[in-house]
Amino acid sequence: MEKRRLGKTGEMLSVIGFGGILVMNETAEKASELVHRAIVRGINYFDVAPSYGNAEEMLGPALEPYRQGVFLACKTGKRTAAEARAELEQSLKRMRTDHFDLYQLHAVKTDQDVETILGPGGALEAFVKAREEGLVRYLGFSAHSEEAALALMAAFDFDTILAPFNWVCWLEGGFGAKMLEEAHKRNMGILALKALAKRSWAEGEPRRWSKSWYAPVDTYQEARLAIRFTLSLPVTAAVTPGHEELLWWACDAAEEFRPITPEEEATLKTWAKGLAYIFPQ
């Protein structure tokens, strides 16, 4: 699998990342099987968060044999220094590691989030201290709002951004270009979440994908173009949703990657028209 440089860190990551929610509620044997298969496919970038149910407890033991050869990212949704530190220590224990390669503020979306994180006693203080202590190597954030992302980038020299650089949000919602441009200008590592997202679930709609809070692509044809759209942007990697079928679709699409053409982007724009895209601004 192709690897790309993670901005100014110089780290080389597989263009497809393993989303830790994949192993949530699986058996230990299944979690180990999924991690092993991902390693064989060439994935070296793993991402997890304590908000993903029991994903940390399942991923930690499964990933332990490969820990020295992978790039491990984790997140916290906590906004104060004390809470963020406590959650970091809990995640390190659950993941059976002495450090995370990347630690991220999780799902920053409001002005209040930004104000608390950056203010006295905010989570950023815990992040900087953890880096000084060697508990984390790089600092980043995931954002569900362009305004929040831009505010964080203006206030601190983060190493990475994880955001929804997604075909529907971009082509139908006009969402993503501003923060991508700013992150690229700052030579940040740019990571994509929700690359295979298609739309919001309709009210009362049966959910085929139980671990996904949105409706992902329906076919490999859609997945292939969705991944090619995201990877044609100046991003390092795309993290997949929480079901193995979608991970293997993304791997297959990455292995036959070529930059998306204007005609194919026009096709995606047609497919996206009228969809209830996630993260409306």
Side-chain angles (χ1 to χ4, degrees), residues 110-130:
T110 68
D111 292 342
Q112 184 60 58
D113 283 341
V114 174
E115 184 178 336
T116 303
I117 288 164
L118 298 176
L124 186 59
E125 290 182 3
F127 275 50
V128 172
K129 183 177 180 182

Side-chain angles (χ1 to χ4, degrees), residues 23-250:
V23 298
M24 183 179 76
N25 300 333
E26 301 292 350
T27 64
E29 293 75 19
K30 182 63 174 180
S32 293
E33 174 197 324
L34 289 168
V35 168
H36 175 72
R37 187 174 173 189
I39 294 288
V40 170
R41 291 296 298 262
I43 292 174
N44 72 344
Y45 164 38
F46 290 76
D47 179 278
V48 73
S51 58
Y52 301 158
N54 69 343
E56 289 181 324
E57 292 95 327
M58 303 310 301
L59 184 60
L63 193 60
E64 194 170 19
Y66 312 100
R67 176 66 187 95
Q68 297 307 309
V70 302
F71 186 93
L72 179 57
C74 191
K75 317 183 191 80
T76 179
K78 304 302 183 184
R79 302 307 188 216
T80 68
E83 291 175 315
R85 178 65 182 221
E87 193 154 73
L88 168 61
E89 291 176 355
Q90 174 184 268
S91 292
L92 288 167
K93 183 177 180 181
R94 288 176 173 174
M95 288 300 300
R96 300 190 180 185
T97 185
D98 62 357
H99 76 282
F100 289 119
D101 297 293
L102 173 63
Y103 202 56
Q104 303 155 107
L105 299 159
H106 195 179
V108 183
K109 53 189 170 185
T110 68
D111 292 342
Q112 184 60 58
D113 283 341
V114 174
E115 184 178 336
T116 303
I117 288 164
L118 298 176
L124 186 59
E125 290 182 3
F127 275 50
V128 172
K129 183 177 180 182
R131 182 171 62 181
E132 292 169 351
E133 295 173 353
L135 298 178
V136 302
R137 297 175 62 211
Y138 305 113
L139 304 180
F141 65 88
S142 73
H144 294 178
S145 155
E146 285 203 290
E147 289 69 25
L150 293 170
L152 287 175
M153 285 187 276
F156 185 79
D157 185 23
F158 286 98
D159 297 300
T160 66
I161 178 175
L162 173 63
F165 302 115
N166 158 272
W167 61 289
V168 185
C169 292
W170 189 288
L171 297 172
E172 180 69 1
F175 175 53
K178 289 186 289 187
M179 57 183 170
L180 182 73
E181 180 182 3
E182 184 64 22
H184 187 57
K185 184 170 71 176
R186 293 173 179 272
N187 195 24
M188 293 172 66
I190 303 172
L191 303 165
L193 51 78
K194 311 297 187 280
L196 292 182
K198 185 173 181 179
R199 58 178 175 81
S200 300
W201 291 114
E203 188 174 350
E205 176 182 3
R207 298 194 175 189
R208 174 187 174 192
W209 308 101
S210 60
K211 297 179 188 178
S212 181
W213 61 264
Y214 54 84
V217 293
D218 295 302
T219 66
Y220 176 65
Q221 181 188 23
E222 287 182 340
R224 181 170 172 268
L225 279 187
I227 289 293
R228 286 180 54 213
F229 175 86
T230 296
L231 294 184
S232 294
L233 299 171
V235 306
T236 298
V239 183
T240 60
H243 291 270
E244 64 174 302
E245 298 93 331
L246 299 171
L247 173 62
W248 309 137
W249 275 0

